[in-house]
Amino acid sequence: MVVCGDDALAERLAAELTTVYRERVTLVVPPARRGGPAGRARASALLGRVQAVVNRAGGLSADEGAGPPRVLETHELDEAVLAEVGVREATALALVHDDDETNIRAALAARRLNPRLRLVIRLYNRKLGQHLEELLDQAATLAVPGLDPEALDTSTTVLSDADTAAPALAATAVAGTSKVVQADGLLLRATERTPPGHGRVADPGLCTLALLSSTTSDPAGAEGTDASGEEGPTLLPDDEAVAAATGRGTVVLETVAHSGTAPPPGRPAGRRAPLTSLFSRRLRWSLAGLTACVLGLAVATWLTTEDHALRAAYLTLLDLFAVNDPALGEPAARQILQLLAGLAGLLFLPVLLAAVLEALGTFRTASALRRPPRGLSGHVVLLGLGKIGTRVLARLTELGIPVVCVEEDPEARGIPLARRLRVPTVIGDVTQEGVLEAAKIQRAHALLALTSSDTTNLEASLYARSVKPDVRVALRLYDDDFATAVHRTLRAAHPRALTRSRSVSTLAAPAFAGAMMGRQILGAIPVERRVLLFAALKVAGQPHLEGRTVAESFRSGAWRVLALDTAAPDDRLPDLAATPPHDGACRPAGLVWDLHPGYVLRAQDRVVLAATRQGLAELLGRRPHAGPRLIGPT
């Protein structure tokens, strides 16, 4: 595996491939601004940071066939450099530079060198990414005429760190965890549960993924802490093991859902009926009352004058607008009705003028941002509408979760989306007093601080906790040591409130690593010092699955079938881990998670399963590497 990048995502991706998938990795980074010893020191420091991540994940043993990544420095990613780092012999290449142009140029060069290479490219522009995927897949087909079309499903994958991190950040706001896997648009989370007590068995959720060696009673969640037991976790246990382990904590698979009501399809959240958007409630009641008064006068005129109903209504309107002749010599009832109609006209004209002015003001401010409603509560306060915040806002809106945005820059990337979705937005500096109060933080369910400044996110979180001590807080922090210190301090100061620190590179790295392994991999969930992989596999050609029932295909400690893709083979999504389009188009039926144990798996089926590294390697027919390859920085 070859990883080319210039930021934290490249480092974490190299560590993910090394620790989770046990692959041999070459990390290509741009040189330091000052060459010589400074450049060599930078490469050594980079390798040290990657090795530190490896050690925290449990280290590497000699029999697992992977060593620490090799680190190379280069100015440009041209064909000569890509050939030197081994792209011709590589299985996959990840281009995760922050510059889209650099990634595209390198991808085109790499495709010429190795048409069979699996490419994973980091791009923010979705439409450009789709066109690039088609172009590179077509280039692979033309370069290798006999290439199997099925291989093109894993040929080129364009991802965005913002898109891949958004589901986990949204899950943090809803469920307080980042241990999530996305399958066909559904968010699944792995939840740690404490022992229910002697002689009782906990609710297994969708299924029980693991038995923990130890649990924690920390109400804020230890998330990622090491187990203190000696035996280690038991992955994918059978029902007998789960029933017998009444004193051990469990990791169960659940769906992430919101208790609120989702907006109707095709209608953005927060949009109201046309009349309620144009006119205020007081003005609508005034117009309704005057209309009823005019109707009453028309009926009274019709009854007293014995004229036709249309003539009576016409006379009433003339009296209302003061264009009728005085009713001299008319009966007293007619004169009284004319006076009342004139009085109603005096009241009607100002109300009509107010309605016109208010409608003009509504149209003038139609492009303006909404203010938070007065009675809003239980919402999520989203701080920052940059590249990451925009994607998270879209995801929260799709889940039907009420959101209030706070952004300092009125020209930020996500402002047009917030305006189009009619999401309440507060423009102002969150460090200034009164801004978070304007976003109703005192009645909010959670705060997502996603600006690009660590200090701004921390200051907003501390201020939110001072206003509402039990608010759920998730911070976007870049520095790992700083994030650890902040998390521990906030958890100690507010033990009953949930605090999470999130790094976009940490959340995005598993998705990029899974794409490098092929689109079969949906994601990975850590369980203490071990990892569970989620994959979508076709049953055809799998002797451990084809022709067996769901119960018979289960192998404890190796793999377990979780769901069945009921869509027709031609209608299936090629990548179940990707967020499906929300354009109102008709989509396949999706995944069925409550499979009957007696269902017989057929060759045309595709299933979603959880597996260990060894179990998935056996299903995919992969062979372990011949031996470790320990290469230092160059």
Side-chain angles (χ1 to χ4, degrees), residues 349-375:
L349 290 179
V351 174
L352 183 62
L353 178 61
V356 172
L357 294 177
E358 190 166 305
L360 290 175
T362 301
F363 284 118
R364 185 174 60 253
T365 59
S367 60
L369 296 169
R370 287 187 60 201
R371 301 290 297 176
R374 181 173 300 178

Side-chain angles (χ1 to χ4, degrees), residues 356-438:
V356 172
L357 294 177
E358 190 166 305
L360 290 175
T362 301
F363 284 118
R364 185 174 60 253
T365 59
S367 60
L369 296 169
R370 287 187 60 201
R371 301 290 297 176
R374 181 173 300 178
L376 182 65
S377 63
H379 58 286
V380 174
V381 176
L382 176 61
L383 174 57
L385 286 177
K387 184 172 66 172
I388 305 299
T390 303
R391 294 289 194 255
V392 175
L393 172 61
R395 186 60 180 167
L396 291 173
T397 305
E398 292 166 4
L399 293 175
I401 300 173
V403 186
V404 173
C405 300
V406 179
E407 174 56 52
E408 182 180 6
D409 183 11
E411 303 296 329
R413 185 191 298 266
I415 293 296
L417 177 64
R419 183 182 294 113
R420 179 168 57 86
L421 296 178
R422 301 289 293 161
V423 175
T425 304
V426 177
I427 301 296
D429 186 359
V430 73
T431 60
Q432 300 296 324
E433 186 176 355
V435 175
L436 280 179
E437 284 85 350

Side-chain angles (χ1 to χ4, degrees), residues 21 179-183 188-190 207 209 236 251-253 514 518-527 531-537 560 562 577 593 607-612 616:
Y21 300 101
K179 297 179 180 179
V180 295
V181 173
Q182 182 165 277
L188 306 170
R189 63 171 173 174
C207 69
L209 297 176
L236 302 176
V251 177
V252 299
L253 189 66
R519 291 184 184 174
Q520 301 96 335
I521 307 296
L522 304 181
I525 288 179
V527 181
V531 174
L532 270 178
L533 305 177
F534 291 80
L537 297 181
R560 177 171 187 166
L562 301 177
W593 295 90
V607 296
V608 174
L609 51 83
T612 60
L616 186 60

